[in-house]
Amino acid sequence: MDRLVELQSLFWQSTLETLYIVGITLAFGGVGGLVIGVALYVTRKNGILASAPVSVALNVLVNFFRPIPFVIFIGAVQPLARIVVGIGIGNKAIIFALSLAAAFGISRIVEQNLVSVDPGVIEAARAMGAGRPRIIFSVLIPEALGPLILGYTFIFVALVDMSAIAGVIGGGGLGNFALVYGYRQFNPAVTWGAVIAIVVIVQVAQFAGNLLARKVLRR
C-alpha cells in the first residue's frame, strides 16, 4: 500500500491517460462506426439505398476486421499508424488502432439497432415526401437513439478493457501502470489500485449511459 501512495501522482496521470485514450477513441471510432453502420443498414435488401454490391463489400470488410484479436490488430496496423498519425508507438498509435477496431465493432451495433426501427415509421416519412438524407437523420437515427446510447456505453466499457494493453506499443494508462509497477514488481496493492480505478470508471460510464438512455426512451 505504501508503494501505491508513493506512486499516486503517476497513478492519477495514468487514470487521466486512460480517460483521454478512451474518450478520443470513442469520438473517432463512434463517428466511423455510425457511418459504416448506417451504410450497412440502408444498402441492405429493401433498404432506402439498397445496393447488393455495396452491401456485400461492407459486410466482407466488417467481418474481416472484427474477429482479429486486438493485441494482433495493433501490431498489424502499426505501419498504417505511422503513415496516418506519424508514429507507430505511444498513445497516438494506440488511439489510431483502437479507433479503427471500435469503428468496425460499433458498425454492427448501429446496424442491429437500426433494424429494430419500425419500418412503418420510415414508410410514413417516405409517404410524406421526406428525402433519403432526411429519413436517415430525422427519422432513422432519432428512433434508434435510446438503444444506440446503450450500445455506445457497451463499447466505452470494451474500450477501457482494450486500452489496458496500450503498453504493448509503449502507450500509457492504467493497464500499463498495473503491468509495470504492479505485476512486474510483485506489488498486488498497485495492481489492485489500478483495477479498482478501472472498475470505478466503468461503473460511472454505465450509470451515465443507462440514465441518458432512459431519458431518451421516455421522450
Side-chain angles (χ1 to χ4, degrees):
M1 195 65 188
D2 292 342
R3 180 62 174 152
L4 183 58
V5 174
E6 289 174 14
L7 294 170
Q8 60 177 310
S9 61
L10 194 54
F11 170 79
W12 290 116
Q13 181 187 331
S14 299
T15 303
L16 291 176
E17 275 185 321
T18 291
L19 292 173
Y20 169 74
I21 291 170
V22 174
I24 298 293
T25 296
L26 190 63
F28 285 118
V31 172
L34 182 65
V35 171
I36 299 172
V38 169
L40 282 167
Y41 175 77
V42 299
T43 58
R44 61 192 294 155
K45 188 178 180 182
N46 298 325
I48 59 176
L49 288 168
S51 171
V54 176
S55 179
V56 170
L58 285 173
N59 275 287
V60 170
L61 180 70
V62 172
N63 291 341
F64 178 83
F65 284 105
R66 277 190 66 206
I68 302 174
F70 186 61
V71 70
I72 297 174
F73 186 81
I74 56 176
V77 299
Q78 204 171 27
L80 185 60
R82 288 196 183 96
I83 295 172
V84 177
V85 299
I87 189 168
I89 59 172
N91 288 342
K92 282 186 178 179
I94 193 72
I95 288 172
F96 176 78
L98 269 173
S99 297
L100 268 183
F104 294 118
I106 290 172
S107 66
R108 282 297 181 205
I109 290 177
V110 171
E111 182 195 19
Q112 288 164 9
N113 284 305
L114 294 182
V115 169
S116 67
V117 174
D118 183 359
V121 177
I122 298 172
E123 286 306 318
R126 269 178 165 171
M128 293 174 69
R132 289 163 178 164
R134 189 170 180 184
I135 291 174
I136 293 171
F137 294 108
S138 302
V139 178
L140 195 57
I141 294 177
E143 282 292 321
L145 191 56
L148 282 175
I149 290 172
L150 292 176
Y152 274 81
T153 304
F154 172 81
I155 289 295
F156 180 92
V157 174
L159 290 176
V160 172
D161 291 342
M162 292 160 74
S163 72
I165 60 171
V168 171
I169 56 171
L174 287 166
N176 186 54
F177 175 81
L179 182 66
V180 174
Y181 299 99
Y183 177 72
R184 289 180 183 168
Q185 296 185 11
F186 305 102
N187 199 322
V190 174
T191 304
W192 275 100
V195 169
I196 291 170
I198 289 172
V199 170
V200 170
I201 291 171
V202 167
Q203 291 296 325
V204 170
Q206 190 66 61
F207 175 77
N210 290 346
L211 185 66
L212 187 58
R214 258 199 313 272
K215 284 189 175 180
V216 170
L217 289 169
R218 287 176 182 169
R219 291 176 302 176

